[in-house]
Amino acid sequence: MTTGRLWGVGLGPGDPELVTVKAARLLGEADVIAFHSARHGRSIARSVAAPYLREGQIEEALIYPLTTETTDHPGGYQGAIDDFYAECALRLAAHLDAGRDVVVLCEGDPLFYGSYMHMHKRLSHRYVTEVVPGVTSVSGAAAVLGRPLVERDETLTVLPGTLPAEVLAERLASADSAAILKLGRTFAKVRDALDRAGRLDEAWYVERATTGGQRLAPLAEVDPDSVPYFSLALIPSPVNAAQAGPVREAEPATSAGGPGEVVVVGLGPAGRPWLTPEAQDALAGADELVGYGPYLDRVPPNPRQRRHPTDNRVEAERAAHALELAAAGSRVAVVSSGDPGVFAMASAVLEVACEPRFADVPVRVLPGLTAAHAVASRAGAPLGHDYCVLSLSDLLKPWEVVAGRITAAARADLVLAIYNPASKSRTWQVAAARDLLLEHRAPQTPVVIGRDVGGAGESVTVTTLAELDPAMVDMRCLLLVGSSTTRAVKRGDGGQVVFTPRRYPA
C-alpha cells in the first residue's frame, strides 16, 4: 500500500484571508486534519482553517497534557512534552501508513517557532513530506503597525521571551530591529529587559495581529496582567523612525448610515514634500475629498475616491456637505492649503460640526506647514522672536478692525505675518497697511514678499517698508514685516538673510 503524504501547512497570523492559495487547496483535499490545542480543546489554527475544510474529514486534536512546567513526570517538563510528541507522531503515522494524506495545521509559519516542527522531526524521514510556508506573526505585526521591519543593511533579531532577562537585555541593546515572541507570562521580564537595554520607548506591543481581537499599543503602556501568549513585542526599523507617522489601530468599517469621520487636512504650501506623513495617511484612507478646487487638484487622483470641488467663498456649505457625507458613513478628508487652523477650513468645519445635527460625527484636524513658516524659512529667520499673524482681507471683518490690529501690532513692535494681502477685487489694502506701519516703524524696516513658496512660480523678495510696492503683491503672496530688531544682512556668498534676534534690547 502506498503511504500517505505529510503536509505541514502554515496558516498565517490569524486572518483567514492571509491563508495562501496552496494552503487553502490542501485544507480542502486532505484526508486528515491535525491540530494542537490546550485542554480546553479550542484551537486557533483550526478556527483559521475552518472556512477551507470540508465535511467528512478526519480530525486529530493533539491536546497538550500541560501548559506550564509544573508536572510529576519523571523526566520533568521536557520529558512530558517529548512523550506527548512521540504519541502524536504515532497517531499521525497510523493514518499515513493507511494511505491517508495528513495536514498538520500551524499558526504563522510551520518552521518558525511552529508546533508542526515537532511532527516534522519525527516523521519527515519516513514519509513524503512537504512544508507550506505561512505569513509569520512577526510579518503580520509589522504589517498592522505599518512600520518597516528592516531597511538597507539593518539586521532583524528574533528572540523568545523565555530567555533570561540579562540575555534579552544584552541582545536588545545591540540589535537594529527586534521581535520578541512568546510573551504571556514572560511579559514583565521582557519589559524590564527592554528598559535595561534603553529600547523601551521604541517597542510596540502587538496582540493577535490581523484578527478581530487585534490590539496595538506602545509596550510601555501595556498592563502585564492583560497579555496573552499570542502576542509579541516589536522594535521596528530605526531608519527614519523619527519621521514615521503615528500608528492607529484599524477601526471597524462603518456600516451604511452609520457615522464616518471628517478629517481636516493641511496640505502645506505646495507639493508632497511639504505634506506630513499623517496627512498623507488621512488622504490615502479617505472615501471622499472635499475642498476648494485648486487645492483638490494638488491631491493625486484615485479612482476609488469621490472628489467634491467647490468655490472658495462657500466654506460653511462645504463644511456642511463634508459632515453630511460622514454622517452617512464615509471617511471624508476636507483639504486646506497650509495649516487648516490658520485662516482656513478647520474653524469653518468645527463651527458647523457644533450644530446639534452633527453632534455624533467625529472631526479631527491634522496640521500642515503654514505659509508664514514656509516664507520665513526661505528668507532666514524673520520670525525668530515674538510675532503676530493677521489677514488683510476685509471680507469677513471690517477694515476698521484690520487697521486697529495693524496699529496695535506696530505699537507692540511685533513682527507681522500678513496673509491674504491682495486679490483682484482688493487692491488698496497693502498700501494702507504700509502707511499705518510707517507711523510706528522705521522706513528701513525689512519686508519679505514670498510668492508661491514651494511651487513652480516661487519667488522671495526682500525690500524695506518704505520701498514696498503694492504692485508686487497679489493673492499668492505672503508678507513678513520686521520689528525694530529685525535685520537684513548680506553675507559673504552674496546672499541675503533676514532674521530677528531672540534677544530684545533692554
Side-chain angles (χ1 to χ4, degrees):
M1 181 183 296
T2 303
T3 60
R5 182 184 292 258
L6 176 67
W7 300 87
V9 175
L11 300 173
D15 181 353
E17 291 186 341
L18 292 178
V19 171
T20 65
V21 173
K22 183 170 186 177
R25 175 176 62 80
L26 294 172
L27 292 173
E29 294 176 353
D31 302 306
V32 180
I33 300 293
F35 51 89
H36 291 83
S37 75
R39 288 178 177 173
H40 50 57
R42 297 185 300 274
S43 167
I44 293 176
R46 193 198 179 286
S47 69
V48 176
Y52 308 102
L53 303 180
R54 59 175 171 80
E55 291 186 10
Q57 290 175 300
I58 301 168
E59 295 192 11
E60 284 283 0
L62 311 177
I63 300 175
Y64 287 107
L66 68 169
T67 54
T68 69
E69 296 189 8
T70 302
T71 178
D72 56 4
H73 189 284
Y77 172 81
Q78 193 59 53
I81 288 296
D82 287 343
D83 283 355
F84 165 68
Y85 288 137
E87 189 265 334
C88 291
L90 287 173
R91 288 165 57 186
L92 300 187
H95 290 295
L96 294 166
D97 289 338
R100 304 183 190 105
D101 289 343
V102 177
V103 164
V104 180
L105 308 181
C106 187
E107 302 94 2
D109 182 89
L111 300 181
F112 184 80
Y113 291 113
S115 54
Y116 161 78
M117 68 179 64
H118 302 289
M119 298 300 96
H120 188 83
K121 289 186 289 187
R122 290 166 173 82
L123 297 172
S124 62
H125 62 290
R126 295 168 51 192
Y127 304 96
V128 176
T129 302
E130 185 170 343
V131 177
V132 179
V135 177
T136 68
S137 59
V138 176
S139 296
V144 298
L145 278 175
R147 299 288 178 86
L149 275 175
V150 280
E151 296 186 41
R152 301 178 188 171
D153 56 355
E154 293 175 331
T155 58
L156 172 65
T157 301
V158 180
L159 302 167
T162 50
L163 287 174
E166 61 274 13
V167 176
L168 283 171
E170 179 182 357
R171 295 188 181 180
L172 288 168
S174 60
D176 293 329
S177 305
I180 310 169
L181 284 66
K182 305 183 180 183
L183 291 186
R185 289 185 295 272
T186 71
F187 180 81
K189 176 181 66 176
V190 169
R191 187 189 186 284
D192 180 64
L194 285 162
D195 194 22
R196 289 163 59 182
R199 308 297 297 274
L200 183 59
D201 290 342
E202 302 172 59
W204 285 89
Y205 170 83
V206 184
E207 175 183 320
R208 296 185 174 94
T210 77
T211 72
Q214 169 181 300
R215 180 162 67 117
L216 318 176
L219 190 135
E221 300 175 4
V222 174
D223 177 5
D225 294 333
S226 69
V227 176
Y229 180 81
F230 286 99
S231 58
L232 59 82
L234 198 65
I235 299 176
S237 164
V239 173
N240 298 320
Q243 285 75 42
V247 173
R248 284 199 304 133
E249 287 200 48
E251 299 174 358
T254 55
S255 59
E261 180 187 40
V262 171
V263 184
V264 191
V265 179
L267 299 178
R272 187 179 179 88
W274 302 76
L275 190 65
T276 68
E278 186 179 27
Q280 292 178 31
D281 180 64
L283 292 173
D287 304 313
E288 319 263 359
L289 300 177
V290 176
Y292 176 43
Y295 298 158
L296 272 183
D297 291 341
R298 287 166 47 187
V299 181
N302 183 333
R304 178 183 61 79
Q305 298 172 326
R306 291 194 299 171
R307 302 162 81 93
H308 306 272
T310 58
D311 185 81
N312 200 30
R313 293 167 291 184
V314 290
E315 291 184 349
E317 293 87 341
R318 187 187 309 152
H321 184 209
L323 290 158
E324 288 165 355
L325 291 170
S330 291
R331 293 170 297 180
V332 184
V334 177
V335 301
S336 183
S337 181
D339 184 286
V342 181
F343 302 121
M345 278 303 298
S347 58
V349 171
L350 291 171
E351 183 175 3
V352 179
C354 289
E355 296 177 8
R357 59 179 173 143
F358 297 124
D360 296 327
V361 178
V363 177
R364 291 187 296 131
V365 178
L366 302 185
L369 179 62
T370 187
H373 298 154
V375 173
S377 71
R378 293 295 202 244
L383 304 181
H385 206 291
D386 299 339
Y387 67 95
C388 80
V389 176
L390 57 86
S391 169
L392 280 196
S393 174
D394 58 354
L395 295 177
L396 300 176
K397 60 182 183 291
W399 173 253
E400 291 75 17
V401 172
V402 178
R405 291 175 178 177
I406 292 172
T407 298
R411 285 175 175 165
D413 200 22
L414 296 171
V415 175
L416 279 81
I418 300 177
Y419 284 70
N420 308 316
S423 69
K424 291 180 179 179
S425 61
R426 294 188 299 104
T427 58
W428 56 270
Q429 282 92 337
V430 173
R434 177 197 60 198
D435 295 341
L436 287 170
L437 289 166
L438 281 169
E439 294 177 10
H440 304 277
R441 295 282 164 89
Q444 64 272 24
T445 300
V447 175
V448 178
I449 306 172
R451 188 179 192 283
D452 192 28
V453 168
E458 175 178 321
S459 66
V460 177
T461 303
V462 179
T463 183
T464 65
L465 191 57
E467 296 174 346
L468 174 60
D469 181 2
M472 297 178 61
V473 181
D474 60 24
M475 195 61 182
R476 303 292 301 278
C477 294
L478 180 133
L479 303 181
L480 299 176
V481 181
S483 69
S484 64
T485 64
T486 303
R487 299 169 60 192
V489 179
K490 294 281 189 182
R491 303 189 69 239
D493 59 2
Q496 186 178 37
V497 294
V498 180
F499 66 96
T500 303
R502 295 189 63 193
R503 288 186 175 84
Y504 201 80

